Amino acid sequence: MPSTTKASRFFNLVDQREYAFCQAINQSLRFRPVHGYFQLISRLGDGWLWYALILAMPLIRPDNGLALALLMAATGLTCTVTYKLLKRWLIRERPFISFPSINCGTPPLDRYSFPSGHTLHAACFTTIIAIMAPGLFWPLLPFTLSVAASRVVLGLHYPSDVVAGALIGGCMGAVAVYSFAEPLRILLAA
């Protein structure tokens, strides 16, 4: 696996550069309200808020809510497969594993760090909402930004994991909307 070895060497260099920032951000866990807030956000980002939003979409937007919900569900599954394959292939240890001075603020859902699956999903769904239901974008944006921040604060991800997750998720959301939203709407209207 030569590519895994190259990725591992690359991540070791990046990890060293991001360590001080991760450690500084992680220190905020000493404050109970900060820790509690980011644990809650992380738990909701596990999928609970997204599942609720997908289920509510037909009620919130009677005109295109069912198509939007189906698009979000299908894209969400695609996101899950994508980030799991990337994590398995690239194998980057989480900050709290690589650096014992970084505290793990909540148990991770899986072993590896790159990219952030929570951020990938949040960016994907927020992009879909921004394009298809822009009135819901601004209320959703603080949650999405909090999910991204929670990953670093809780010691689960490096900033580059979060940035990569946001870029991949945002692109997947845009591709889903511009490739499948209209055909899905037509199919459901038939």
Side-chain angles (χ1 to χ4, degrees), residues 10 14 67 84 119 143:
F10 172 75
V14 175
K84 285 186 180 276
T119 307
F143 175 75

Side-chain angles (χ1 to χ4, degrees), residues 65-186:
L66 181 58
L68 189 49
L70 292 172
L71 181 68
M72 289 175 73
T75 307
L77 289 173
T78 305
C79 286
T80 300
V81 170
T82 300
Y83 91 79
K84 285 186 180 276
L85 288 173
L86 286 170
K87 282 186 178 195
R88 199 172 187 172
W89 183 54
L90 296 172
I91 306 175
R92 183 184 199 184
E93 292 291 350
R94 293 183 180 275
F96 76 89
I97 292 172
S98 296
F99 301 101
S101 62
I102 294 177
N103 296 312
C104 178
T106 195
L109 295 178
D110 55 33
R111 167 86 189 264
Y112 298 114
S113 182
F114 188 89
S116 166
H118 281 73
T119 307
L120 192 147
H121 280 93
C124 177
F125 292 142
T126 303
T127 300
I128 291 171
I129 293 296
I131 298 168
M132 300 282 299
L136 298 174
F137 170 74
W138 290 110
L140 190 58
L141 185 61
F143 175 75
T144 298
L145 295 173
S146 291
V147 166
S150 77
R151 310 319 292 158
V152 179
V153 170
L154 294 170
L156 300 172
H157 288 282
Y158 296 94
S160 55
D161 299 335
V162 171
V163 169
L167 290 172
I168 295 166
C171 289
M172 290 179 78
V175 166
V177 168
Y178 292 118
S179 300
F180 302 108
E182 188 59 21
L184 187 58
R185 189 192 62 73
I186 291 169

Side-chain angles (χ1 to χ4, degrees), residues 29-93:
L29 290 181
R30 292 180 300 185
F31 304 103
R32 264 202 157 130
V34 171
H35 193 173
Y37 173 76
F38 284 114
Q39 272 188 318
L40 174 63
I41 290 295
S42 181
R43 186 73 176 129
L44 291 171
D46 285 349
W48 298 108
L49 182 108
W50 306 122
Y51 305 146
L53 185 60
I54 289 168
L55 290 173
M57 201 52 68
L59 301 172
I60 296 170
R61 299 192 48 98
D63 58 327
N64 68 346
L66 181 58
L68 189 49
L70 292 172
L71 181 68
M72 289 175 73
T75 307
L77 289 173
T78 305
C79 286
T80 300
V81 170
T82 300
Y83 91 79
K84 285 186 180 276
L85 288 173
L86 286 170
K87 282 186 178 195
R88 199 172 187 172
W89 183 54
L90 296 172
I91 306 175
R92 183 184 199 184
E93 292 291 350

